[in-house]
Protein backbone atom coordinates (compact mmCIF):
# COMPACT_ATOMS: atom_id res chain seq x y z
CA UNK A 1 0.00 0.00 0.00
CA UNK A 2 2.71 2.51 0.90
CA UNK A 3 4.61 1.67 -2.29
CA UNK A 4 1.59 2.59 -4.37
CA UNK A 5 1.32 5.89 -2.55
CA UNK A 6 5.08 6.53 -2.78
CA UNK A 7 5.18 7.68 0.86
CA UNK A 8 8.38 9.16 2.27
CA UNK A 9 7.52 9.35 5.96
CA UNK A 10 5.03 6.50 6.40
CA UNK A 11 5.56 2.75 6.19
CA UNK A 12 2.71 0.25 5.99
CA UNK A 13 2.99 -3.49 6.74
CA UNK A 14 0.86 -6.54 7.51
CA UNK A 15 2.41 -8.02 10.68
CA UNK A 16 -0.35 -10.64 10.94
CA UNK A 17 -3.53 -11.68 9.14
CA UNK A 18 -6.31 -9.05 9.41
CA UNK A 19 -3.91 -6.48 10.94
CA UNK A 20 -2.39 -3.46 9.18
CA UNK A 21 0.39 -1.53 10.86
CA UNK A 22 1.08 2.11 9.96
CA UNK A 23 4.48 3.41 11.04
CA UNK A 24 5.48 7.07 11.38
CA UNK A 25 9.00 7.11 9.95
CA UNK A 26 10.60 10.50 10.43
CA UNK A 27 12.77 9.61 13.42
CA UNK A 28 15.47 12.27 13.07
CA UNK A 29 12.77 14.90 13.53
CA UNK A 30 11.11 12.88 16.33
CA UNK A 31 8.25 12.31 13.88
CA UNK A 32 7.40 16.01 13.82
CA UNK A 33 4.37 16.41 11.60
CA UNK A 34 4.89 18.21 8.35
CA UNK A 35 1.83 18.49 6.11
CA UNK A 36 3.44 15.87 3.87
CA UNK A 37 3.63 13.38 6.73
CA UNK A 38 0.00 14.06 7.68
CA UNK A 39 -1.31 13.61 4.14
CA UNK A 40 0.72 10.41 3.77
CA UNK A 41 -0.71 9.19 7.07
CA UNK A 42 -4.22 10.03 5.90
CA UNK A 43 -3.58 8.05 2.70
CA UNK A 44 -2.44 5.06 4.76
CA UNK A 45 -5.49 5.22 7.01
CA UNK A 46 -7.73 5.46 3.95
CA UNK A 47 -6.10 2.43 2.35
CA UNK A 48 -6.47 0.36 5.52
CA UNK A 49 -10.07 1.49 6.01
CA UNK A 50 -10.99 0.35 2.49
CA UNK A 51 -8.96 -2.89 2.61
CA UNK A 52 -11.44 -5.71 3.29
CA UNK A 53 -8.60 -7.94 4.51
CA UNK A 54 -7.87 -5.52 7.37
CA UNK A 55 -9.90 -5.73 10.57
CA UNK A 56 -7.65 -3.79 12.97
CA UNK A 57 -5.21 -0.91 12.37
CA UNK A 58 -2.14 -0.25 14.52
CA UNK A 59 -0.45 3.18 14.51
CA UNK A 60 3.16 3.13 15.72
CA UNK A 61 6.32 5.20 15.30
CA UNK A 62 10.01 4.73 14.54
CA UNK A 63 12.74 6.36 16.60
CA UNK A 64 13.06 7.52 20.22
CA UNK A 65 9.76 9.42 20.39
CA UNK A 66 6.27 8.84 19.06
CA UNK A 67 5.82 12.45 17.93
CA UNK A 68 7.18 15.89 18.80
CA UNK A 69 4.04 17.55 17.44
CA UNK A 70 3.52 19.73 14.37
CA UNK A 71 6.63 20.85 12.52
CA UNK A 72 7.20 24.60 12.80
CA UNK A 73 9.88 24.34 10.12
CA UNK A 74 7.39 23.15 7.51
CA UNK A 75 7.24 26.02 5.01
CA UNK A 76 5.55 23.95 2.29
CA UNK A 77 2.13 23.58 3.87
CA UNK A 78 0.18 25.37 1.14
CA UNK A 79 2.21 23.71 -1.62
CA UNK A 80 1.51 20.30 -0.11
CA UNK A 81 -2.20 21.05 0.10
CA UNK A 82 -2.23 22.19 -3.55
CA UNK A 83 -0.32 19.10 -4.72
CA UNK A 84 -2.35 16.62 -2.70
CA UNK A 85 -5.75 18.17 -3.21
CA UNK A 86 -7.99 18.76 -0.19
CA UNK A 87 -9.75 15.88 1.52
CA UNK A 88 -12.45 18.08 3.05
CA UNK A 89 -14.73 20.70 1.55
CA UNK A 90 -13.94 23.81 3.62
CA UNK A 91 -12.14 25.75 0.86
CA UNK A 92 -10.49 29.17 0.92
CA UNK A 93 -7.06 27.79 1.75
CA UNK A 94 -5.21 30.59 -0.04
CA UNK A 95 -7.32 33.41 1.38
CA UNK A 96 -5.63 36.18 3.32
CA UNK A 97 -5.78 36.57 7.08
CA UNK A 98 -7.61 34.30 9.49
CA UNK A 99 -9.77 32.91 6.67
CA UNK A 100 -6.90 31.03 5.02
CA UNK A 101 -5.27 29.86 8.23
CA UNK A 102 -8.54 28.59 9.69
CA UNK A 103 -9.37 26.82 6.43
CA UNK A 104 -6.03 25.00 6.37
CA UNK A 105 -6.29 23.93 9.99
CA UNK A 106 -9.90 22.87 9.40
CA UNK A 107 -8.69 20.69 6.50
CA UNK A 108 -5.57 19.10 7.97
CA UNK A 109 -5.88 19.17 11.74
CA UNK A 110 -9.56 18.95 12.67
CA UNK A 111 -10.56 17.35 9.38
CA UNK A 112 -8.02 14.53 9.58
CA UNK A 113 -8.55 13.87 13.31
CA UNK A 114 -12.32 13.60 12.98
CA UNK A 115 -11.90 11.44 9.88
CA UNK A 116 -9.50 9.05 11.62
CA UNK A 117 -11.72 8.86 14.71
CA UNK A 118 -14.58 7.75 12.44
CA UNK A 119 -12.73 4.96 10.63
CA UNK A 120 -15.18 2.03 11.00
CA UNK A 121 -12.47 -0.36 12.20
CA UNK A 122 -10.73 -0.59 15.58
CA UNK A 123 -7.53 1.44 15.73
CA UNK A 124 -4.76 1.00 18.29
CA UNK A 125 -2.04 3.56 19.05
CA UNK A 126 1.23 1.87 20.02
CA UNK A 127 2.99 4.68 21.88
CA UNK A 128 6.49 5.15 23.27
CA UNK A 129 8.66 8.09 24.30
CA UNK A 130 7.32 11.60 24.10
CA UNK A 131 3.92 12.54 22.72
CA UNK A 132 3.85 16.33 22.53
CA UNK A 133 1.02 18.68 21.51
CA UNK A 134 0.12 17.66 17.95
CA UNK A 135 1.25 14.14 18.82
CA UNK A 136 -1.85 13.87 20.99
CA UNK A 137 -3.88 14.48 17.84
CA UNK A 138 -2.54 11.22 16.43
CA UNK A 139 -3.24 9.02 19.45
CA UNK A 140 -6.54 10.50 20.69
CA UNK A 141 -8.51 9.63 17.53
CA UNK A 142 -7.50 5.98 18.04
CA UNK A 143 -9.82 3.64 19.92
CA UNK A 144 -7.21 2.07 22.19
CA UNK A 145 -3.86 3.39 23.43
CA UNK A 146 -1.08 1.04 24.53
CA UNK A 147 1.88 2.88 26.06
CA UNK A 148 5.35 1.78 27.02
CA UNK A 149 6.38 2.60 30.56
CA UNK A 150 8.67 5.37 29.27
CA UNK A 151 5.88 7.19 27.40
CA UNK A 152 4.82 10.66 28.51
CA UNK A 153 2.23 13.06 27.19
CA UNK A 154 2.21 16.85 27.02
CA UNK A 155 0.18 19.73 25.64
CA UNK A 156 2.49 22.73 26.02
CA UNK A 157 0.56 25.04 23.70
CA UNK A 158 -0.48 27.24 26.62
CA UNK A 159 3.17 28.25 27.00
CA UNK A 160 3.05 29.38 23.37
CA UNK A 161 -0.04 31.53 23.82
CA UNK A 162 -2.65 29.07 22.51
CA UNK A 163 -5.51 27.41 24.40
CA UNK A 164 -4.70 23.81 23.46
CA UNK A 165 -4.20 21.72 20.35
CA UNK A 166 -6.84 21.89 17.62
CA UNK A 167 -8.36 18.48 18.39
CA UNK A 168 -9.58 19.51 21.83
CA UNK A 169 -10.37 16.17 23.45
CA UNK A 170 -8.70 16.89 26.78
CA UNK A 171 -11.79 16.79 29.06
CA UNK A 172 -12.87 13.42 27.64
CA UNK A 173 -9.39 11.92 27.79
CA UNK A 174 -8.32 13.18 31.21
CA UNK A 175 -11.34 14.55 33.03
CA UNK A 176 -12.02 18.24 33.53
CA UNK A 177 -9.64 19.02 36.40
CA UNK A 178 -6.63 17.13 35.08
CA UNK A 179 -7.25 18.62 31.63
CA UNK A 180 -7.03 22.10 33.13
CA UNK A 181 -3.83 21.22 35.00
CA UNK A 182 -2.25 19.77 31.86
CA UNK A 183 -3.02 22.93 29.88
CA UNK A 184 -2.25 25.44 32.67
CA UNK A 185 1.17 23.94 33.54
CA UNK A 186 2.31 22.36 30.24
CA UNK A 187 3.76 19.54 32.37
CA UNK A 188 4.14 15.97 31.15
CA UNK A 189 1.71 13.26 32.19
CA UNK A 190 3.38 9.89 32.71
CA UNK A 191 2.12 6.70 31.15
CA UNK A 192 1.13 5.39 34.58
CA UNK A 193 -0.86 8.54 35.39
CA UNK A 194 -2.45 8.50 31.93
CA UNK A 195 -3.63 4.93 32.59
CA UNK A 196 -5.01 5.88 36.00
CA UNK A 197 -6.94 8.73 34.36
CA UNK A 198 -8.39 6.39 31.72
CA UNK A 199 -6.56 7.89 28.73
CA UNK A 200 -4.32 4.83 28.27
CA UNK A 201 -5.61 1.25 28.25
CA UNK A 202 -2.40 -0.58 29.15
CA UNK A 203 1.17 0.27 30.16
CA UNK A 204 3.85 -2.30 29.34
CA UNK A 205 7.61 -2.50 29.28
CA UNK A 206 9.17 -0.95 26.18
CA UNK A 207 10.56 -4.32 25.12
CA UNK A 208 7.08 -5.86 25.25
CA UNK A 209 5.19 -3.03 23.54
CA UNK A 210 5.10 -4.33 19.98
CA UNK A 211 4.22 -7.91 20.93
CA UNK A 212 1.55 -6.87 23.43
CA UNK A 213 -0.09 -4.53 20.92
CA UNK A 214 -0.12 -7.13 18.16
CA UNK A 215 -1.57 -9.78 20.49
CA UNK A 216 -4.38 -7.43 21.45
CA UNK A 217 -4.99 -6.56 17.78
CA UNK A 218 -5.30 -10.25 16.93
CA UNK A 219 -7.78 -10.85 19.76
CA UNK A 220 -9.92 -8.00 18.45
CA UNK A 221 -9.54 -9.05 14.80
CA UNK A 222 -11.01 -12.47 15.64
CA UNK A 223 -14.38 -10.87 16.37
CA UNK A 224 -17.04 -10.37 13.64
CA UNK A 225 -16.13 -7.26 11.65
CA UNK A 226 -19.67 -5.88 11.53
CA UNK A 227 -20.03 -6.15 15.30
CA UNK A 228 -16.76 -4.25 15.72
CA UNK A 229 -18.03 -1.49 13.44
CA UNK A 230 -21.30 -1.18 15.34
CA UNK A 231 -19.55 -1.14 18.72
CA UNK A 232 -17.39 1.74 17.55
CA UNK A 233 -20.41 3.61 16.15
CA UNK A 234 -22.25 3.17 19.44
CA UNK A 235 -19.43 4.32 21.73
CA UNK A 236 -18.40 7.25 19.53
CA UNK A 237 -22.04 8.25 19.27
CA UNK A 238 -22.44 8.19 23.04
CA UNK A 239 -19.46 10.51 23.44
CA UNK A 240 -20.80 12.92 20.83
CA UNK A 241 -24.24 13.02 22.47
CA UNK A 242 -22.43 14.15 25.63
CA UNK A 243 -21.37 17.26 23.70
CA UNK A 244 -17.88 16.39 22.50
CA UNK A 245 -18.37 17.70 18.96
CA UNK A 246 -19.99 20.98 20.03
CA UNK A 247 -17.19 21.58 22.54
CA UNK A 248 -14.63 20.74 19.86
CA UNK A 249 -16.07 23.32 17.47
CA UNK A 250 -16.14 25.99 20.19
CA UNK A 251 -12.55 25.34 21.26
CA UNK A 252 -11.36 25.42 17.64
CA UNK A 253 -12.80 28.92 17.27
CA UNK A 254 -10.98 29.99 20.46
CA UNK A 255 -7.80 28.42 19.07
CA UNK A 256 -8.10 30.66 16.00
CA UNK A 257 -8.66 33.68 18.24
CA UNK A 258 -5.38 32.85 20.02
CA UNK A 259 -3.58 32.77 16.67
CA UNK A 260 -5.02 36.17 15.74
CA UNK A 261 -4.02 37.57 19.13
CA UNK A 262 -0.45 36.25 18.78
CA UNK A 263 -0.11 37.71 15.28
CA UNK A 264 -1.23 41.08 16.63
CA UNK A 265 1.19 41.01 19.59
CA UNK A 266 4.10 38.93 18.35
CA UNK A 267 3.82 38.85 14.56
CA UNK A 268 3.53 35.06 14.55
CA UNK A 269 0.84 32.42 15.10
CA UNK A 270 2.40 31.51 18.43
CA UNK A 271 4.38 33.33 21.10
CA UNK A 272 7.92 32.60 19.93
CA UNK A 273 9.30 33.16 23.44
CA UNK A 274 7.13 30.26 24.52
CA UNK A 275 8.40 28.20 21.59
CA UNK A 276 12.01 28.83 22.59
CA UNK A 277 11.26 27.88 26.19
CA UNK A 278 9.51 24.73 24.99
CA UNK A 279 12.58 23.65 23.04
CA UNK A 280 14.90 24.29 25.98
CA UNK A 281 12.62 22.44 28.38
CA UNK A 282 11.92 19.41 26.22
CA UNK A 283 15.13 18.70 24.36
CA UNK A 284 17.44 21.21 22.66
CA UNK A 285 18.44 18.49 20.18
CA UNK A 286 14.99 18.45 18.56
CA UNK A 287 15.36 19.27 14.88
CA UNK A 288 11.72 20.36 14.95
CA UNK A 289 9.62 21.67 17.78
CA UNK A 290 5.98 21.31 18.73
CA UNK A 291 3.56 23.63 17.02
CA UNK A 292 -0.13 24.20 17.58
Amino acid sequence: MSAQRNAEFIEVSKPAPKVTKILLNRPKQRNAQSYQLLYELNDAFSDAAHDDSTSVIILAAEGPDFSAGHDLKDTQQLDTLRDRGPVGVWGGYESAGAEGRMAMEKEVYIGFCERWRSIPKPTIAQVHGRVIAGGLMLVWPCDIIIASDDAKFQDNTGAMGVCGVEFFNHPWELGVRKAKEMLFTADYISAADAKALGMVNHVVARADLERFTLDLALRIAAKPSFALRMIKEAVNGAQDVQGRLAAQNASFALHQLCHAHNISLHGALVDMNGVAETVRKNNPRFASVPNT
Side-chain angles (χ1 to χ4, degrees):
M1 283 180 285
S2 59
Q4 294 175 348
R5 295 285 193 171
N6 194 30
E8 182 178 357
F9 300 127
I10 299 293
E11 291 186 2
V12 179
S13 62
K14 283 288 191 70
K18 296 186 176 184
V19 178
T20 290
K21 183 176 183 179
I22 300 172
L23 186 73
L24 308 176
N25 191 24
R26 204 180 179 215
K28 290 183 179 179
Q29 291 80 21
R30 270 47 175 193
N31 297 307
Q33 301 157 27
S34 64
Y35 267 34
Q36 180 181 342
L37 180 147
L38 291 171
Y39 271 95
E40 289 179 0
L41 176 58
N42 187 61
D43 287 343
F45 270 131
S46 293
D47 287 342
H50 294 119
D51 176 13
D52 290 340
S53 69
T54 294
S55 295
V56 178
I57 304 166
I58 295 172
L59 176 63
E62 187 63 70
D65 294 301
F66 184 85
S67 178
H70 301 331
D71 188 353
L72 276 178
K73 294 185 177 181
D74 181 12
T75 60
Q76 305 299 314
Q77 292 180 344
L78 191 53
D79 289 338
T80 302
L81 199 156
R82 287 195 199 104
D83 293 343
R84 290 276 174 172
V87 174
V89 295
W90 190 259
Y93 308 110
E94 301 192 50
S95 299
E99 183 178 0
R101 168 53 54 180
M102 186 171 183
M104 291 175 67
E105 294 197 352
K106 192 80 169 179
E107 156 76 7
V108 176
Y109 298 148
I110 295 299
F112 282 176
C113 287
E114 292 291 342
R115 192 168 188 267
W116 301 337
R117 178 180 178 270
S118 299
I119 290 172
K121 296 179 180 182
T123 55
I124 304 174
Q126 177 185 305
V127 180
H128 69 279
R130 280 168 285 213
V131 184
I132 301 174
L136 298 168
M137 295 168 58
L138 303 183
V139 301
W140 282 351
C142 292
D143 301 308
I144 291 174
I145 300 174
I146 310 300
S148 62
D149 51 13
D150 69 340
K152 52 186 180 179
F153 306 85
Q154 180 188 43
D155 186 343
N156 53 16
T157 52
M160 295 182 277
V162 181
C163 59
V165 294
E166 293 87 348
F167 187 63
F168 194 84
N169 222 42
H170 309 63
W172 283 270
E173 298 290 348
L174 303 166
V176 170
R177 298 200 185 283
K178 197 64 178 181
K180 289 178 181 177
E181 181 181 346
M182 181 191 211
L183 290 162
F184 288 162
T185 65
D187 289 343
Y188 282 108
I189 292 177
S190 69
D193 285 346
K195 182 177 183 297
L197 291 163
M199 190 185 97
V200 165
N201 295 77
H202 301 278
V203 177
V204 299
R206 178 72 173 267
D208 299 330
L209 179 63
E210 186 170 6
R211 184 72 250 172
F212 185 97
T213 305
L214 184 57
D215 286 347
L216 178 60
L218 288 170
R219 285 167 52 202
I220 295 171
K223 307 301 186 292
S225 61
F226 187 67
L228 294 174
R229 288 171 181 252
M230 295 304 99
I231 290 168
K232 184 163 181 174
E233 284 281 304
V235 177
N236 280 3
Q239 192 180 43
D240 287 344
V241 167
Q242 294 171 356
R244 183 203 68 88
L245 188 57
Q248 167 64 76
N249 290 335
S251 66
F252 184 67
L254 296 174
H255 181 98
Q256 299 306 317
L257 177 60
C258 288
H259 279 329
H261 178 74
N262 286 325
I263 289 172
S264 177
L265 262 62
H266 308 295
L269 292 171
V270 296
D271 181 345
M272 296 308 292
N273 293 321
V275 172
E277 179 59 28
T278 292
V279 173
R280 286 192 295 269
K281 181 178 179 180
N282 291 327
N283 190 330
R285 296 175 298 171
F286 275 10
S288 302
V289 297
N291 189 11
T292 53

